[in-house]
Amino acid sequence: MTRDLRSLRRALLHLVLAVIAALYLSPLLYMLVTSFKTREAAQSTTPRWVPDPVTVDAYREILASPDSPVLTWFLNSLLAATGHAALVLVTAAPAAYALARLRFRLRTPIFSMIVATLFVPPVVLLIPNFLIVNELAWVDSLPAVIVPAAAGAFGVFFLRQFFLTLPTELEEAAELDGCNRWQIFVSIALPLSKPALATLFLLSFLANWNDFLWPIYVLLSPEALTLPAGLGNFQGANNIRYDLLMAGAVIASLPVILLYLVAQRWVIEGISRSGIRG
């Protein structure tokens, strides 16, 4: 009886999880389906899950449009998101390791101040960041969307929590062998932190890839836009071309989905070991 009850509970749990997954996946599937519909079918008031006929005209039109260089926007977003995520790792990893392992005065107050900046609304920093970017002559260039947010507090906090879980015995053994703190960080801490580094890279890549507000402020020419900002303008010009809008959304979603599929094992391990919970 107990075994039958457990099987029933497991079946109900799987059913609930399947329903939740369907609710989350249905908008993505409908977006994908709509991108392969004709213009008339996409604008139909009767929703259909199976496009009839199946066509790639929306992709051809959006990629060939001279007023909307989607491929250029895609490349700009790819370069910006990759550069930003790499710079986040470069700035966050040393700071997080120092706060996790080194003993120095004011370590706790410094860490508290860094974490406190997480509560500052990002919109408050728009004008100060724009003034700095303007002084550096970065307006309308990719460094304007790569550098400003690369030294955020979340990366320091996330990696510090992970470094605290690493065994100290390996570092102590390295010290006995004559390694200095930098050598320990590079040779021991970083290789053991691949899951956390991959997770932070993915989260930073995703945040930069989806950023819409900041690129609108600092990227002025159509050729310099990133994909979210460019598709925002494209939507304003084609607000009833649902086939084109869904095709653009598919193009914007594809790199993030592929990146997550590749790094999902590291992401799960990194989040579980860093003490971050959803």
Side-chain angles (χ1 to χ4, degrees), residues 161-162 165-167 192 195 268-277:
Q161 298 304 108
F162 189 91
T165 67
L166 297 179
L192 293 176
I268 295 173
E269 182 179 352
I271 292 178
S272 62
R273 291 186 57 185
S274 63
I276 306 296
R277 295 293 185 270

Side-chain angles (χ1 to χ4, degrees), residues 37-66:
K37 292 181 179 180
T38 62
R39 178 176 182 176
E40 293 74 16
Q43 296 174 347
S44 174
T45 58
T46 304
R48 294 182 179 179
W49 283 94
V50 179
D52 185 23
V54 177
T55 178
V56 294
D57 290 344
Y59 291 94
R60 291 174 180 171
E61 186 171 348
I62 194 175
L63 293 176
S65 175

Side-chain angles (χ1 to χ4, degrees), residues 28 31-32 35-36 59 245-255:
L28 297 178
M31 172 188 72
L32 180 62
S35 69
F36 289 103
Y59 291 94
L245 297 180
M246 294 302 103
V250 170
I251 294 173
S253 304
L254 190 59

Side-chain angles (χ1 to χ4, degrees), residues 165-188:
T165 67
L166 297 179
T168 59
E169 291 79 8
L170 294 175
E171 300 180 13
E172 293 171 354
E175 287 183 352
L176 293 177
D177 290 338
C179 294
N180 57 38
R181 184 58 67 174
W182 176 257
Q183 291 172 328
I184 294 173
F185 169 67
V186 173
S187 303
I188 297 178

Side-chain angles (χ1 to χ4, degrees), residues 232-247:
N233 294 339
F234 183 80
Q235 179 178 357
N238 299 273
N239 55 0
I240 59 173
R241 291 296 307 275
Y242 298 116
D243 54 333
L244 296 182
L245 297 180
M246 294 302 103

